Amino acid sequence: MASLNDHYLKLAGAYLFPEIDRRVGAFLERHPEAATRLIRCGIGDVTEPLPRSVIAAMHAALDEMGERSTFRGYGPPLGYSFLREAIAAGDFADHGLDISPEEIFVSDGSKSDCGAILDILGDGNRFGVPDPVYPVYVDTNVMAGNTGPRRDDGRYEGLAYLPCTADNGFVPEVPDTPLDVIYLCFPNNPTGGMITRPQLRAWVDYALRHDAIILYDVAYQAYVRDADAPRSIYEIDGARRCAMEFHSFSKSGGFTGVRCGYTVCPRELQARTRDGEPRPLHGLWARRWSTKSNSVGYVVQRGAEALFGADGRREVATLVEHYLGNATLLREGCAKRGMDVFGGTNAPYVWVRCPDGRSSWETFDWMLEEAGVIITPGVGFGQCGEGYFRISAFNTRDNVEQVVDRLGALEQLTR
Ligand code: MLT
């Protein structure tokens, strides 16, 4: 009999969002009449249609695919140069950052990249993850065998958890002990928190001091509003030697269903062989992609390219304003009802302390049953998320206004 990857057996029963779906399904079986009333503010999935410029570019690309003279088969495994050049110009050169198109690797999104990166990192690395955390960072490490078993408290042996609490503004502090690979995500999922430039400087210094690598996830970069906040880790001197950056078009261009993102792997970034010899990761990352993937479809890449045109930029700005407007309403709605609210100003997520000392899952059930609103329990993102919940601002304005009204009604029910 073939053997399986035993590491998968260490994982918690289900990834967070399927578990939420399971609970919602069970609720609807008991209360089928509630189905039309439910408002989903759980998973951060966009609701607004794709930008017109993206639609036009994808239509044109599809027409090209329908003609023998312009048809395209396999594309370059690291992405078409038209898209890598548009990204290098629009996301970096225009902001005074030195990232070349050859350092950009187009993919089907950050989630895949977060798992794929572990292919080129060796055994025995000490990994640091924030807590609360985007669960993909943890689960992919479990799958790759980089952790021990899951403990009763939900944490895995062998991972270093970096607490993000109200006291540290939900920004993990640089640890006293050396780590080899650290995941950071800003604007943060799930807390909506943002890192300052001096705080990011401290992390880059730490990584350079310990020869560590920072995997810097900027999936929510388009939401940064603080003028002084860093939009990219490459704004910090020395980051090219210690950081990879993970980008997504999901939350900027509304691509959650289209699938496209990219990583940046600077040529200077190195890691050690088993024999202790430093070697660049760039060639390994390219080898990984050209062996395991044929990149993303031509039509999708033309759509992503359109996001960097003048119309595309305007349309992205409008989408982001819409979701940030929702976040403001949700923040105000929760605060008005006396809840402690965090995030939502540089991010599409609002992080709220559960009222009346409830646990995260108690609050989830309460909001589901009493308000018909699906939120994400903070504890689903880690131990430090217990006692909090996350509301996603990815929704229609009408739904968000209804959520705010229902929060008001909830207050009356609980008093
Ligand atoms: C979330 O809700 O945390 C995100 O939508 C998950 C993701 O982007 O994969």
Side-chain angles (χ1 to χ4, degrees):
M1 187 182 281
S3 67
L4 50 74
N5 179 347
D6 280 273
H7 301 304
Y8 276 63
L9 305 180
K10 298 178 202 161
L11 290 164
Y15 181 63
L16 174 60
F17 294 108
E19 172 60 16
I20 290 175
D21 289 345
R22 192 191 65 73
R23 287 182 182 234
V24 172
F27 168 75
L28 287 177
E29 259 177 39
R30 294 194 306 278
H31 302 283
E33 74 290 351
T36 51
R37 184 176 135 80
L38 281 192
I39 301 180
R40 294 176 189 274
C41 299
I43 193 164
D45 193 4
V46 294
T47 54
E48 304 308 295
L50 289 172
R52 299 310 308 167
S53 56
V54 169
I55 298 291
M58 290 175 85
H59 277 164
L62 202 51
D63 286 342
E64 283 180 60
M65 295 294 268
E67 297 291 333
R68 183 174 301 282
S69 59
T70 47
F71 171 78
R72 311 220 183 189
Y74 290 129
L78 309 183
Y80 281 100
S81 54
F82 63 76
L83 179 54
R84 298 170 85 192
E85 282 162 14
I87 292 168
D91 276 353
F92 297 99
D94 288 357
H95 301 276
L97 301 177
D98 173 27
I99 297 294
S100 74
E102 293 71 36
E103 294 173 316
I104 287 161
F105 295 72
V106 175
S107 75
D108 70 334
S110 291
K111 189 175 188 176
S112 317
D113 287 330
C114 286
I117 189 60
L118 298 177
D119 281 4
I120 64 163
L121 296 175
D123 298 334
N125 280 315
R126 291 156 298 184
F127 285 87
V129 291
D131 181 356
V133 65
Y134 178 43
V136 175
Y137 308 156
V138 172
D139 287 5
T140 52
N141 271 290
V142 177
M143 291 169 171
N146 293 334
T147 73
R150 186 168 183 268
R151 301 194 311 234
D152 289 345
D153 64 4
R155 288 183 164 183
Y156 289 90
E157 299 284 352
L159 284 185
Y161 289 85
L162 308 167
C164 300
T165 63
D167 288 342
N168 61 20
F170 302 102
V171 176
E173 279 143 43
V174 168
D176 301 332
T177 49
L179 296 170
D180 300 306
V181 182
I182 304 107
Y183 292 82
L184 294 177
C185 169
F186 289 101
N188 187 256
N189 179 16
T191 67
M194 190 55 204
I195 197 164
T196 64
R197 200 174 296 274
Q199 286 169 323
L200 191 54
R201 167 84 267 161
W203 271 108
V204 168
D205 287 344
Y206 171 89
L208 292 172
R209 204 162 54 242
H210 293 289
D211 277 340
I213 292 176
I214 298 175
L215 302 179
Y216 198 65
D217 182 348
V218 290
Y220 302 92
Q221 181 190 58
Y223 293 80
V224 175
R225 283 296 169 275
D226 290 355
D228 292 339
R231 293 178 72 260
S232 163
I233 198 165
Y234 302 115
E235 292 176 28
I236 310 293
D237 276 348
R240 285 183 56 90
R241 285 185 283 126
C242 67
M244 277 185 72
E245 204 164 75
F246 293 65
H247 286 249
S248 165
F249 299 120
S250 287
K251 313 297 163 71
S252 53
F255 271 40
T256 55
V258 177
R259 307 308 306 151
C260 195
Y262 69 92
T263 52
V264 179
C265 185
R267 289 197 183 275
E268 292 93 317
L269 186 66
Q270 296 193 327
R272 288 184 203 287
T273 63
R274 224 180 265 275
D275 300 332
E277 190 195 334
R279 295 278 283 270
L281 284 177
H282 185 276
L284 272 66
W285 194 223
R287 185 71 162 87
R288 189 260 168 221
W289 279 104
S290 52
T291 304
K292 290 201 174 182
S293 163
N294 283 312
S295 191
V296 181
Y298 174 68
V299 175
V300 167
Q301 292 194 52
R302 280 294 185 199
E305 180 194 24
L307 295 171
F308 293 93
D311 289 345
R313 284 171 200 245
R314 261 193 306 277
E315 289 168 308
V316 167
T318 304
L319 284 173
V320 170
E321 282 312 317
H322 166 78
Y323 294 124
L324 277 177
N326 287 349
T328 301
L329 291 176
L330 291 167
R331 274 180 62 87
E332 289 171 357
C334 292
K336 209 162 143 197
R337 271 95 198 146
M339 297 184 198
D340 274 345
V341 186
F342 307 90
T345 52
N346 289 292
Y349 296 123
V350 179
W351 188 243
V352 189
R353 208 189 300 272
C354 298
D356 311 326
R358 286 180 167 86
S359 72
S360 294
W361 279 113
E362 281 167 356
T363 307
F364 174 87
D365 289 338
W366 175 65
M367 293 276 279
L368 178 62
E369 284 163 28
E370 305 295 333
V373 174
I374 302 170
I375 43 105
T376 309
V379 72
F381 298 104
Q383 205 180 82
C384 294
E386 180 54 287
Y388 289 88
F389 65 93
R390 188 192 78 173
I391 308 190
S392 162
F394 290 113
N395 223 316
T396 61
R397 184 56 52 88
D398 184 48
N399 274 352
V400 166
E401 284 168 355
Q402 283 193 55
V403 169
V404 171
D405 286 349
R406 292 184 196 179
L407 283 169
L410 263 182
E411 183 193 40
Q412 284 142 30
L413 280 175
T414 54
R415 282 209 171 145

